[in-house]
Amino acid sequence: MDAGPDLIPLAEGVATFGGGNAYSWYRSQAHRGGTVSMGGQRVPVVKVSSRWMISKAEVAQAVEAERRARSEIVQWTADYAAGVLREGLVQLTGGRSYTVRGRFHLLTVPQPMAPADSWWICNSCRQPATTRHDPDRECHRCRDWSPCADDCTLVSVSCPSCRTSLTLRSA
């Protein structure tokens, strides 16, 4: 990146982007690697006369990428409310997310100052599911150190309302 007319001070770029991080966080990233993270992409920065500068066009692209990402999350949240599920880890508004696994999905809701809560939900009737665990299936990490966050003892999920079930591991 050259010191052309497209460059603006990093502080102005950060204010335009409005990503929620402090300017010092961006300045620290710039110093460490010559780029800053904006809109899910690495944007190059350059020091000109002891001042960090960034491309105005690339900040505009980052703002647009962030707007599209937020718009997608709003759409996915509306789809979820309408019963439409997507594959993979799907982000919803409010920091919530879900992952589809067969005929069920695991809905995760963040809690302030605590680990997130998660519930298995039936894809067919949208009712909470019940789970069955086998403590003998506990992984090495859970036995000897700390929880693996993979729910390693879970062997099956079933819906008491519509009798749908899913076997995850043989019991």
Side-chain angles (χ1 to χ4, degrees):
M1 178 177 11
D2 60 22
D6 181 46
L7 293 180
I8 57 174
L10 179 59
E12 185 180 327
V14 167
T16 300
F17 179 67
N21 291 315
Y23 171 69
S24 59
W25 183 81
Y26 290 98
R27 194 178 62 228
S28 175
Q29 281 193 333
H31 181 72
R32 274 194 311 256
T35 64
V36 294
S37 178
M38 289 183 165
Q41 57 194 11
R42 301 300 303 178
V43 180
V45 293
V46 64
K47 210 162 202 184
V48 177
S49 301
S50 74
R51 192 172 192 189
W52 287 109
M53 305 294 279
I54 192 167
S55 164
K56 187 175 184 175
E58 292 200 45
V59 170
Q61 288 174 352
V63 167
E64 179 57 23
E66 186 71 12
R67 186 203 61 75
R68 279 192 313 271
R70 288 182 187 182
S71 177
E72 258 183 358
I73 289 172
V74 168
Q75 181 60 53
W76 294 340
T77 302
D79 289 349
Y80 182 76
V84 177
L85 298 174
R86 299 175 185 280
E87 292 297 320
L89 175 63
V90 179
Q91 296 296 320
L92 304 172
T93 57
R96 300 172 302 149
S97 63
Y98 71 86
T99 305
V100 174
R101 187 107 176 244
R103 296 177 177 174
F104 296 89
H105 63 279
L106 183 64
L107 177 64
T108 303
V109 178
Q111 300 299 316
M113 306 299 285
D117 284 335
S118 296
W119 298 274
W120 284 97
I121 309 289
C122 177
N123 295 348
S124 302
C125 68
R126 303 288 278 204
Q127 295 299 310
T130 58
T131 58
R132 190 165 64 85
H133 291 80
D134 179 358
D136 294 333
R137 296 274 181 198
E138 187 175 56
C139 73
H140 176 69
R141 178 180 172 166
C142 289
R143 258 192 323 271
D144 295 340
W145 293 292
S146 61
C148 66
D150 192 30
D151 205 359
C152 62
T153 62
L154 180 65
V155 292
S156 67
V157 182
S158 60
C159 179
S161 297
C162 68
R163 304 284 185 234
T164 301
S165 66
L166 171 68
T167 301
L168 300 169
R169 296 177 179 97
S170 58

